[in-house]
Amino acid sequence: MLYRENGQFKQTYRADLQIFPVLQDRIGISVLLLVAFVAVPLLGSDYFFRAILIPFLILALAALGLNILVGYCGQISLGTGAFMAIGAYAAYNLQVRIEGIPLLLALIGGGLAATVFGVLFGIPSLRIRGLYLAVATLAAQFFTDWFTNRVKWVTNDSPSGSVSVGALSFFGLPVETPVQKYLLCLAIVCVFALLAKNLVRGAIGRQWMAIRDMDVAAAVIGIRPVYAKLSAFAVSSFIVGVAGALWGFVHLGSWEPAAFSIDRSFQLLFMVIIGGLGSISGAFFGAAFMVLLPLLLNYVPHWLGLPLSTATASHLEHMIFGALIVFFLIVEPHGLARLWLTAREKLRLWPFPH
């Protein structure tokens, strides 16, 4: 009986169009942000930040960018790992070649480089779609793997092919401890999630969804497919590029091209499918599932006293991922986000059946 809209009257258009129209949702988000920004830094351990929260936030940001392209615009992509790599290496080169460049500018520079790269490989989407577009974006992954392995100046002439970043600071504040890195990632993810939510609610978001549903009908009513598709590639690649820079700078610290292999691209695509296509919250659900499931497979058998080797847990992880992807594609194509939305609708009607 607590989740009700009774008595919540909206007297202005601004109130009617707000992101969270239900008061309980606004309270819940405020409490969640308060816990994330205040309680978690005070109570969390270094392992909790390094192994769970920081990877979760960065992967959620990358899945958010991919969801804009795949979920909202309907343009499938198998080259997300390549866009992350471009963002990471571009930010690294900016830091190495421009002395004293702020971390924020390096991250934005990495996102802009990924934007240019994404638009170039998004041009085929103007002529092809479906499986053919997936193969075209897959070419971006292979090209990036070759480029980062063969072109020496990308890694600043590193003989081993691996690169490492120096000390990080954000507006003069050091970013060294796991708590500081977590707060940096959390702030960036919140900003991008808010921007993405407003984009998909606006005119450009409606154009993306019209192209996704039926591009011929969208063109008939005056939507330009060239602008809609390339803008989706640009926005998606920018967000993914920033996520790649964060993955390299904040989470890894030092990396090699294998850190952004095709496995990363498939992992992000699985996040979007499991979390929910065409949903901002789906990116967070998918990232949480992808980060927590391996930990559960490692710890739960030990808690239950079952002998389970690391190799067996790894195989089980792949089997469960595959089974869940098939399950969600058949039973609930909109993923965990749709289940969460259904649960909220049930709460609004409870205890009545209709």
Side-chain angles (χ1 to χ4, degrees):
M1 300 295 289
L2 297 177
Y3 194 69
R4 288 288 188 273
E5 298 180 51
N6 297 346
Q8 299 180 28
F9 304 108
K10 302 175 181 63
Q11 301 177 346
T12 62
Y13 286 113
R14 182 177 181 181
D16 189 48
L17 295 175
Q18 57 190 331
I19 296 177
F20 301 105
V22 182
L23 176 62
Q24 290 87 334
D25 289 338
R26 296 196 296 273
I27 295 174
I29 290 296
S30 300
V31 172
L32 180 63
L33 290 176
L34 186 64
V35 170
F37 277 100
V38 179
V40 172
L42 295 175
L43 302 176
S45 63
D46 287 352
Y47 172 80
F48 188 57
F49 291 118
R50 293 180 185 275
I52 299 177
L53 290 182
I54 293 177
F56 159 70
L57 290 172
I58 300 175
L59 291 176
L61 182 61
L64 176 64
L66 180 61
N67 213 345
I68 288 178
L69 182 63
V70 179
Y72 284 99
C73 196
Q75 309 300 303
I76 190 167
S77 174
L78 296 178
T80 315
F83 302 142
M84 289 184 70
I86 293 296
Y89 281 103
Y92 167 75
N93 277 273
L94 286 173
Q95 188 192 55
V96 169
R97 305 181 193 283
I98 303 177
E99 186 177 355
I101 185 172
L103 176 60
L104 181 60
L105 290 182
L107 296 177
I108 293 175
L112 292 176
T115 300
V116 175
F117 188 75
V119 170
L120 288 177
F121 279 90
I123 291 176
S125 68
L126 306 178
R127 293 290 183 181
I128 58 179
R129 68 182 73 178
L131 181 62
Y132 301 98
L133 179 59
V135 173
T137 56
L138 189 60
Q141 183 70 53
F142 294 143
F143 173 78
T144 304
D145 290 343
W146 171 86
F147 189 74
T148 53
N149 277 292
R150 299 297 180 182
V151 181
K152 294 299 183 182
W153 64 262
V154 173
T155 59
N156 197 28
D157 297 321
S158 173
S160 63
S162 62
V163 298
S164 59
V165 297
L168 303 179
S169 64
F170 194 77
F171 289 107
L173 300 175
V175 183
E176 299 174 352
T177 66
V179 175
Q180 293 168 342
K181 293 179 178 180
Y182 160 75
L183 290 175
L184 172 64
C185 294
L186 180 61
I188 293 176
V189 169
C190 289
V191 170
F192 275 103
L194 180 61
L195 292 176
K197 184 64 176 179
N198 282 287
L199 272 178
V200 299
R201 294 169 70 236
I204 183 64
R206 290 193 291 271
Q207 292 180 23
W208 292 340
M209 288 182 279
I211 292 292
R212 175 196 64 190
D213 295 337
M214 188 175 291
D215 53 354
V216 176
V220 169
I221 63 175
I223 295 175
R224 294 178 293 171
V226 174
Y227 173 77
K229 291 182 180 181
L230 291 186
S231 63
F233 268 97
V235 173
S236 172
S237 300
F238 180 80
I239 297 176
V240 172
V242 173
L246 284 174
W247 187 261
F249 276 56
V250 177
H251 179 54
L252 299 179
S254 62
W255 69 93
E256 56 186 9
F260 302 101
S261 64
I262 191 173
D263 293 339
R264 185 71 61 200
S265 299
F266 282 113
Q267 182 189 40
L268 292 170
L269 186 61
F270 296 160
M271 286 183 194
V272 172
I273 294 174
I274 294 175
L277 289 167
S279 169
I280 299 297
S281 60
F284 294 92
F285 284 125
F289 182 87
M290 197 67 68
V291 171
L292 293 177
L293 180 60
L295 294 175
L296 291 176
L297 290 177
N298 286 328
Y299 285 104
V300 170
H302 294 291
W303 294 340
L304 298 178
L306 300 176
L308 189 64
S309 65
T310 304
T312 304
S314 178
H315 293 312
L316 279 176
E317 178 183 338
H318 292 297
M319 293 171 60
I320 292 174
F321 282 158
L324 287 173
I325 289 170
V326 173
F327 171 80
F328 282 117
L329 287 175
I330 296 175
V331 178
E332 186 50 80
H334 295 287
L336 295 173
R338 182 62 185 179
L339 297 178
W340 170 245
L341 181 61
T342 302
R344 288 172 55 195
E345 293 298 326
K346 294 288 186 180
L347 284 175
R348 292 171 67 182
L349 296 175
W350 185 84
F352 307 104
H354 302 291

